[in-house]
């Protein structure tokens, strides 16, 4: 029952930050975690997990890997689940230690800076996109939803376990960018079209809050504002969609 109690507690950001642990829920998320470099403290399984062939295979794989498993009732599992239709499996993962200095000295270098993104689904999609496009890392600034929020973990679909995503403050990011001679571009509708500018070997691109855009501090730090001109009459693009296009445009 210790793992079940821990999983319930980890629904709170303060608990995740205090313990350095997070929850990955669902068959796919636990499969991806199991086959990643990220450590697993233990897994909680409900009886419904083995009702499907894929779930039964995952249960067998957990046993083969020697992972500590706590079997609980369906009602007990539901008390820790964050999904509407729980699949009967959640893992308690160990938050990996990732730092900006890990990325020092790379050329080319591509970073995504995430500035006060609030929606977990958008954040997960941003991380998945950055991973798919081969970015060196993603940096979440204060005001952004927790990287290890269960909904972010789920929507990132495994990318969070492999992509070098981390949380830091603006001061640390600014110092790193200065040391690495890596300019920061900010995504903004008033910026120059990104297709019209040449991307340097080292580059960080910041995307801002879904409604308010970039924070004033990040806007000030940016050496250039860039945009995606739209031919249609839509007011704006979803932040994850816009970021994906921009990141593709500046691939080294």
């Amino acid at each position: 029952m210790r793992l079940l109690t821990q999983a319930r507690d980890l629904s709170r950001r303060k608990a995740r930050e205090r313990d350095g642990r997070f929850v990955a829920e669902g068959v796919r998320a636990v499969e991806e975690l199991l086959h990643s470099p990220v450590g697993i403290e233990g897994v909680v399984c409900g009886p419904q997990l083995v009702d499907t062939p894929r779930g039964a295979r995952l249960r067998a794989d957990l046993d083969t890997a020697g992972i500590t498993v706590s079997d609980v009732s369906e009602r007990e599992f539901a008390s820790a689940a964050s999904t509407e239709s729980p699949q009967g499996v959640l893992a308690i993962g160990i938050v990996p230690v990732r730092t900006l200095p890990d990325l020092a000295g790379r050329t080319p270098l591509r970073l995504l800076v995430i500035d006060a993104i609030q929606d977990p689904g958008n954040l997960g999609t941003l991380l998945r996109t950055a991973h798919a496009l081969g970015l060196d890392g993603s940096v979440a600034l204060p005001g952004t939803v927790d990287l290890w929020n269960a909904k972010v973990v789920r929507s990132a679909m495994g990318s969070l376990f492999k992509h070098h995503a981390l949380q830091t403050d603006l001061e640390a990011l600014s110092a790193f960018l200065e040391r690495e001679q890596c300019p920061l571009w900010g995504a903004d509708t008033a910026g120059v079209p990104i297709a019209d500018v040449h991307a340097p070997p080292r580059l960080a691109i910041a995307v801002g809050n879904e409604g308010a855009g970039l924070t004033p501090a990040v806007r000030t730090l940016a050496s250039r504002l860039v945009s995606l001109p739209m031919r249609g009459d839509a007011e704006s693009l979803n932040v994850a969609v816009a970021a994906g296009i921009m990141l593709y445009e500046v691939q080294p």
Side-chain angles (χ1 to χ4, degrees), residues 213-225:
L214 297 171
T215 59
V218 170
R219 187 182 294 271
T220 299
L221 183 62
S223 62
R224 167 173 276 163
L225 297 179

Side-chain angles (χ1 to χ4, degrees), residues 20-230:
R21 301 293 186 269
F22 68 94
V23 170
E25 184 185 341
V27 171
R28 176 162 187 167
V30 177
E31 286 175 340
E32 294 284 355
L33 181 59
L34 184 61
H35 297 102
S36 80
V38 176
I40 300 175
E41 184 163 313
V43 175
V44 178
C45 291
Q48 65 269 47
L49 175 63
V50 296
D51 288 345
T52 66
R54 186 173 177 181
R57 283 195 302 272
L58 175 57
R59 183 65 174 82
D61 288 344
L62 292 170
D63 290 335
T64 300
I67 302 295
T68 300
V69 175
S70 176
D71 291 300
V72 300
S73 70
E74 189 167 344
R75 182 175 180 179
E76 288 171 329
F77 186 89
S79 70
S82 62
T83 55
E84 292 184 6
S85 301
Q87 295 178 326
V89 64
L90 63 81
I92 296 174
I94 302 170
V95 175
V97 177
R98 296 167 176 162
T99 69
L100 280 170
D102 294 336
L103 304 174
R106 298 190 185 190
T107 303
L109 175 67
R110 289 291 183 269
L111 295 178
L112 173 64
V113 175
I114 302 163
D115 182 26
I117 295 295
Q118 297 287 302
D119 183 82
N122 280 339
L123 179 54
T125 303
L126 283 165
L127 297 172
R128 186 180 175 194
T129 301
H131 180 218
L133 293 176
L135 266 70
D136 297 279
S138 293
V139 181
L141 295 176
T144 298
V145 64
D146 181 21
L147 285 177
W148 300 98
N149 174 293
K151 292 181 180 179
V152 176
V153 172
R154 192 161 56 250
S155 61
M157 301 183 74
S159 289
L160 187 52
F161 309 144
K162 303 166 187 174
H163 178 60
H164 195 89
L166 60 104
Q167 295 166 160
T168 192
D169 57 37
L170 189 60
E171 183 179 1
L173 174 64
S174 178
F176 173 81
L177 294 177
E178 184 176 355
R179 286 195 307 270
E180 296 299 308
Q181 297 182 330
C182 177
L184 175 69
W185 291 359
D188 187 271
T189 54
V192 299
I194 195 167
D196 293 347
V197 290
H198 177 70
R202 293 178 177 175
L203 178 65
I205 290 188
V207 294
N209 177 271
E210 293 88 346
L214 297 171
T215 59
V218 170
R219 187 182 294 271
T220 299
L221 183 62
S223 62
R224 167 173 276 163
L225 297 179
V226 290
S227 66
L228 286 176
M230 292 182 291

